[in-house]
Amino acid sequence: MTNESLPVLAILGGTGDLGTGLARRWAQAGYRVIIGSRTQEKAEAAAADLREIMAERGVGDIGVEAMENMAAASAAEIVTLTVPFSHQASTLELVKPALQGKVLIDVTVPLVPPKVGRVQLPEQGSAGQIAQNILGEEVHVVSAFQNVAAHHLQEGHGLACDVLVCGNSKDARAAVIELVEAAGMRGFHAGLINNAAAAEALTSVLININRQYKCHAGITISGLD
Amino acid sequence: MTNESLPVLAILGGTGDLGTGLARRWAQAGYRVIIGSRTQEKAEAAAADLREIMAERGVGDIGVEAMENMAAASAAEIVTLTVPFSHQASTLELVKPALQGKVLIDVTVPLVPPKVGRVQLPEQGSAGQIAQNILGEEVHVVSAFQNVAAHHLQEGHGLACDVLVCGNSKDARAAVIELVEAAGMRGFHAGLINNAAAAEALTSVLININRQYKCHAGITISGLD
């Protein structure tokens, strides 16, 4: 059941594996989740799929809705962006007016196909920094979830995958770390927004490891006392 | 005791915590290790310290020698560079003639003091790529060990810290992965040399986590079957 005291979440580009994986976990944790897409139809289809899977698993009515990206961004308090790098800038330009004063969670990894196993960071340093540059300082951009395999997110249980959380606002990072935990993972304050470069570059490394070991690798932080 | 069938190793800038930590672990694994420094005196002092520590621990005669950087690079088959970023280029220019056809393990992290917790990758993409550019294609540059806390390396036991191994030659990466294992850690093929950007950037993230948790953090790869 949806917990009305929790912030309303939107996931833009929420019809992909990563977006629906996050939507499922947050909805199960009691959040009201809006799946955003470029068309109402695609958003509805993803939301319907999700409700069906949840029903099969015996999870009761979950608070998942469907909207176009701009409406989703307007209706939510915390907005997550899970689109391919090639659509990051255009999507952010579109929804920027709806994001003022809000937290935008950027999950973009600046992969340059076809060589996705090769680190090719953008001139600006990171996709996270690109988002911050586009949105301006009135939007609290926080990057996270770049190293989580969608494959594992679709599973029901806890994940042995830590999340590096970067952003210029400590409060915004803390709000995102709560969402990381609600999704069954550990989140770590990892520095200012441009430190997203580390997590973004790591995704290409994990792609190499996945090919080598036929797995869906992630990272965990070791050495904590 | 030194195993004559193993490659001879040199550690340039081997008088710091990371260099002596690696020297100790490789010497204990039976490798002949040459500690290189800018002066013979500094190298001798580090080697003497290391022999003393090993004697205190009841480890027998270990094969640690001391030389100036150029002599060390000439005498070794695999050369490791553990100098600060500000000395990387000058040290490599100096020893370049001695490295032709060999493996150079670059441990350089391009930190820019005083903001060492901020990812500030160089224009060339990574310190590993800088090393490859300076040394040319006849030297097999492999980057590794950027995320290992020297603190833990100085301890005697196995380390819960994985090592990302990047380089353009798969055989050279495999040789370095053997050395990672000899030092008590797991190594992973992580792609071409410029993928070193991931491990280098991650060091600044780990510095943030160390400050926050008062620890010496590293990473481990999760999700392997």
Side-chain angles (χ1 to χ4, degrees):
Chain A
M1 301 302 292
T2 302
N3 180 339
E4 301 293 334
S5 70
L6 296 174
V8 176
L9 309 178
I11 305 176
L12 310 186
T15 62
D17 285 347
L18 192 74
T20 55
L22 287 172
R24 176 192 299 197
R25 284 172 174 260
W26 285 334
Q28 284 192 262
Y31 288 83
R32 182 180 158 210
V33 179
I34 304 165
I35 292 186
S37 185
R38 278 184 288 182
T39 68
Q40 181 75 28
E41 291 70 30
K42 286 183 69 178
E44 297 276 11
D49 283 353
L50 199 51
R51 283 189 208 104
E52 192 174 334
I53 292 167
M54 293 291 100
E56 277 171 18
R57 296 198 179 179
V59 179
D61 185 30
I62 60 166
V64 173
E65 294 163 74
M67 296 185 189
E68 284 185 31
N69 281 329
M70 182 60 182
S74 300
E77 291 160 84
I78 299 180
V79 178
T80 302
L81 183 71
T82 61
V83 298
F85 182 43
S86 55
H87 294 164
Q88 184 203 25
S90 60
T91 309
L92 288 178
E93 294 286 3
L94 174 75
V95 300
K96 179 177 176 178
L99 296 179
Q100 300 305 304
K102 297 182 182 176
V103 173
L104 183 280
I105 306 178
D106 185 61
V107 189
T108 311
V109 180
L111 299 177
V112 186
K115 305 247 181 224
V116 295
R118 191 175 287 189
V119 175
Q120 299 177 81
L121 292 169
E123 259 183 50
Q124 297 90 333
S126 61
Q129 186 65 56
I130 289 175
Q132 187 70 72
N133 293 351
I134 290 172
L135 296 174
E137 292 301 323
E138 295 303 308
V139 180
H140 306 297
V141 177
V142 176
S143 84
F145 300 114
Q146 300 97 330
N147 306 134
V148 180
H151 172 87
H152 293 305
L153 217 48
Q154 299 285 350
E155 296 166 355
H157 47 74
L159 276 173
C161 181
D162 290 337
V163 174
L164 304 176
V165 178
C166 301
N168 296 342
S169 156
K170 190 176 181 180
D171 288 348
R173 291 199 307 263
V176 173
I177 287 173
E178 269 188 46
L179 290 177
V180 171
E181 290 168 355
M185 291 165 280
R186 298 191 303 181
F188 291 86
H189 288 275
L192 302 181
I193 188 63
N194 191 48
N195 281 12
E200 295 173 13
L202 202 51
T203 299
S204 291
V205 164
L206 293 174
I207 288 170
N208 278 276
I209 292 173
N210 289 346
R211 286 175 181 159
Q212 187 187 347
Y213 291 88
K214 315 288 179 217
C215 67
H216 302 275
I219 62 155
T220 55
I221 299 297
S222 64
L224 304 172
D225 292 332
Chain B
M1 301 299 292
T2 303
N3 179 340
E4 300 294 335
S5 70
L6 296 173
V8 175
L9 309 178
I11 304 176
L12 310 186
T15 62
D17 284 346
L18 192 73
T20 55
L22 287 172
R24 173 193 300 197
R25 284 172 174 259
W26 285 334
Q28 286 192 260
Y31 288 83
R32 184 180 156 210
V33 179
I34 304 165
I35 292 186
S37 186
R38 278 183 288 181
T39 68
Q40 181 74 30
E41 291 68 32
K42 286 184 66 178
E44 296 276 12
D49 283 352
L50 200 49
R51 284 190 208 102
E52 191 174 334
I53 292 167
M54 293 292 99
E56 277 171 17
R57 294 199 180 179
V59 178
D61 185 30
I62 60 165
V64 173
E65 295 164 74
M67 296 185 189
E68 283 185 32
N69 281 330
M70 182 59 181
S74 300
E77 292 160 84
I78 299 180
V79 178
T80 302
L81 183 72
T82 61
V83 298
F85 182 43
S86 54
H87 294 163
Q88 184 202 25
S90 60
T91 309
L92 288 178
E93 295 284 5
L94 174 74
V95 300
K96 179 177 176 179
L99 296 180
Q100 300 305 302
K102 297 181 182 174
V103 172
L104 183 280
I105 306 178
D106 185 61
V107 189
T108 311
V109 179
L111 300 177
V112 186
K115 305 245 181 222
V116 295
R118 190 175 288 190
V119 175
Q120 297 178 81
L121 292 170
E123 258 184 50
Q124 297 89 333
S126 61
Q129 187 65 56
I130 290 175
Q132 188 70 72
N133 293 351
I134 290 173
L135 297 174
E137 291 302 323
E138 295 303 307
V139 180
H140 306 297
V141 177
V142 177
S143 82
F145 299 114
Q146 299 98 330
N147 306 133
V148 180
H151 172 86
H152 294 304
L153 217 49
Q154 300 284 348
E155 297 166 355
H157 47 73
L159 275 172
C161 181
D162 290 336
V163 175
L164 303 177
V165 178
C166 300
N168 296 342
S169 157
K170 189 175 180 180
D171 289 349
R173 291 198 308 263
V176 173
I177 287 173
E178 270 187 45
L179 291 177
V180 171
E181 290 168 354
M185 291 165 278
R186 298 192 303 180
F188 291 86
H189 287 275
L192 302 181
I193 188 63
N194 192 47
N195 280 13
E200 295 172 13
L202 203 50
T203 299
S204 291
V205 165
L206 293 174
I207 288 170
N208 278 277
I209 293 173
N210 289 346
R211 287 174 181 160
Q212 186 186 349
Y213 291 88
K214 315 287 179 219
C215 67
H216 301 274
I219 62 154
T220 55
I221 300 297
S222 64
L224 303 172
D225 290 333

